[in-house]
Amino acid sequence: MQETITDKQVIFSEHTLKNGLKIILAPDNSIPAVAVNLCYHVGSKNEDKDKRGYAHLFEHLMFEGSKNIPPGDYDRLSLQAGCENNAYTTEDKTNYYLLTPSHQLEFGLWLESDRMLEFSVTEESLRVQKGVVIEEKKQVFDNRPYGSVSLKFAPLLFDNNGYSWDTIGNVNDIKKAALADVKEFYEKYYVPNNAVLTLAGDFEPEEALRLTEKYFGPVSSGKYDQDELKKRVSFTDKPIAKEIRKVIYDDVQLPGLFGAYKIPEENSDEFFVFDILTDILSTGESSRLYNELVYKKQMVSDIGCWVEGRELTGLLHYYAILLPGVRIDEVQNEIDRIFNDAVEGKITERELTKIKNRIETRNIYRLQTNLSKADMLSHFKTFYNTPGMINSNLSRYMSVTLDDIQNAAKKYLSGSGRVILEYLPKEEKNKFSKN
Amino acid sequence: MSNNITAQDDVLDRTKPPKPGPPKDVQFPEYFDTTLPNGINILVIENNKIPAVSVRMVFKDAGSFYDGDKYGLASLTAEMLTKGTSNRTATQIAEEIDFVGGSINAGSDWDGSYISLSVLRKHLNTGIEILADVAQNPVFEDEELSRVKEQRLSSILQGKDDAGHLSDKRFNKVVYGTLPYSNPAEGTEETVKKITKADLQEFYKMNYYSGNLIIAFVGDITKEEALKITEEKFNKLPREGINRVNSYKFDENSSAKKVYIINKPGAVQSNLRVGHIGIPRNNPDFIAVTIMNTILGGYFGSRINYNLREKHGFTYGARSYFNPHLYSGDFSVDTDVRNEVTDTSVTLIIEELKRITTEEITDEELTTVKNYMTGVFPLQLETANAVASRVINLKLYNLPKDYYSKYISAINALTKQDILNAAKNYIKPENITIVVSGDAGAVKDKLSKFGEVQVFDADGNKIN
């Protein structure tokens, strides 16, 4: 018998092991599989200034062996058990997941707990994974049109904290990483009292809890005081005082415009307001930016804006890829005019209702898979100690009003600073220098 | 609610993986399948896990394969469906579907054209009205067409920045030879500019008819509802389109070991394609070939990824693919590697191609791949849309109805000899084409050991 998500919310229970590991169990027997999601509360913002990229490099190393798992065996054994695995790193967290057939849940917990138990990476693995990460940076950032946007943005948006560099880090820092450095990183952050383990899928909760306790219970909480560690990551930030504009000549055919404003952090009321506003402006072909600049005026081939929520800040991004012959300042003026409509209270009730309908749909589709549920539960627990946000966030969106939108737009978009990157084809530079 | 638990004290042997319990039986979901007198094939994949419905209309064998010399025609025709009907303007279509939080998309691939609707159950009627309108009453208005063409031209231009895109284009051109699959489905600057409203109307008339239409209803909807909707709302298309005779020769391409470089001066990596012609989707050996390819380069634990990434650290990842179409297919190994190891990577790839065609795989490789494919199978059935894609593919590619119910047992029946046979029959190390999108100055000389090297620019012009 299937349950309908709007009628019954996501059901879960919370537990804490003695060593501080927080556990969330969300049973759902739609398919015979379980998502095992482990979120460590450490990301690139925790890195030292000369060790940029270590959190992400470390994510790679976590697949390279642990106390009882020799190098290469994490993946080999996981495939043999019929599991899918992967991980990702952000500025604020490092998230690992394993999708196991339900009869292999115990295997999954064994495999995952071993790499929380004891670090065991070799010089050889470190050398190879540095190479992999450097190629990852080239493939994703350097060798792709407009691929360097986030690398350029970070130091311009933030000048004195862990958000001043992109998660991928710095190639020279990565090359320098020694085994002792990564071991220290592990001992600081890869401990049960800095992690949330979520299981979502086909299991019996009491049995699952017994198994998590069996495998994770004996892991020690480490020698560092987590509260002290968090305090030492000093985070000071200030608003951007004025407009910072930078021109980048790149291997691109069409000019691209990329902008960002600072807004309040992920879980703030205003963040929800901006999530709605950016959808009003750019989601769907009837949205303002698309309708006016792609459709009516045919100035750009692609345009969008969205919010990026982080633990300690928020960003409102926008971008446009220009059609041939269109000038960047013309497009910027149009975007500013449309943003200014929001500041002046010209967003309509119909637009707001439309986006609330869209968000309701989006919310329902997000709860379709075990992995997506587990990821959200881990996230909300890690940062807000409130996994129930998976059910309650929708009402925060639904309560946003037109006044909220105007107030937030006024406060953060009008007259405040922002960072703008203009990507121009390399030939333009040559033309310019010839003149 | 939060409670503390004390760890158990029993001695735990962590040195070996715990034994799994008995696997649960995984059944491919049942679905409803019927054909109406007007030829429409209705599929209903009912699943009320979420209160939403997707409807997918697929016009079989109605894709870019039939572009003729007007490359881009099928995809422009599909894209224009949502850009105006005899009842609604493009703006009205976008506004009405956006307002209910739904989406309607139309597009095409090589072998079919499709329109899909995704909407919450409570807005199904609105969604259906718009879907039926765009599918049956498109007007292909000139002004809208010129907009869509401008967008397409800019996306073709942008494609010239993308190393992977450039490699794919060159690879297809060489490997498919005289088959239409060798052409760019998005079109070229020249062909897109020439396509007219009359071309679109003609393509629509020939390909969008009820006799080749599948409508799949997916999610929170019953078969009775689906039948009623189809009979009442989708009855305006003609029964038949224009019959075509397919006169292409589907023989093997004979180009052997030639190297094609698309020059991107200053590129920090080489984007590689190494491969040759492959197989159509309904080749009876498809499952054996898929499993063989999984071991070779199809998943993270494959030989090629292990060799290039985990052993050497040359790349962020390397994969091989059998990319099947209705009438043919291709096989390629795809990766991005640093410039200095471009030729070494090609050598390693060729060694792997030779090894899989000459030596039996190990027992462990076979067990691993079987366990993996069986283990991840339920994940592929987790959403109603994922199930629907599989059911639609059975129809599109003329596969047997019990294909997925027998899928796991077919995999488990494969032997090492079957895998070797699949490799011997479908991997041809002596017949490979090598395409590199990268800095010709840095890689050209070292690649000449693999065969004659030709260099092209991003526009496809030969430059040496």
Side-chain angles (χ1 to χ4, degrees), chain B residues 405-430:
Chain B
S405 51
K406 290 187 173 163
Y407 179 70
I408 292 297
S409 56
I411 289 173
N412 282 327
L414 292 169
T415 63
K416 290 190 286 181
Q417 187 62 47
D418 294 331
I419 302 297
L420 184 60
N421 290 343
K424 279 185 193 294
N425 290 330
Y426 301 108
I427 303 269
K428 306 288 177 191
E430 297 311 311

Side-chain angles (χ1 to χ4, degrees), chain A residues 22-42:
Chain A
K22 293 173 272 304
I23 294 167
I24 299 168
L25 303 175
D28 172 344
N29 61 6
S30 316
I31 55 162
V34 184
V36 177
N37 184 290
L38 191 55
C39 180
Y40 290 96
H41 193 171
V42 57

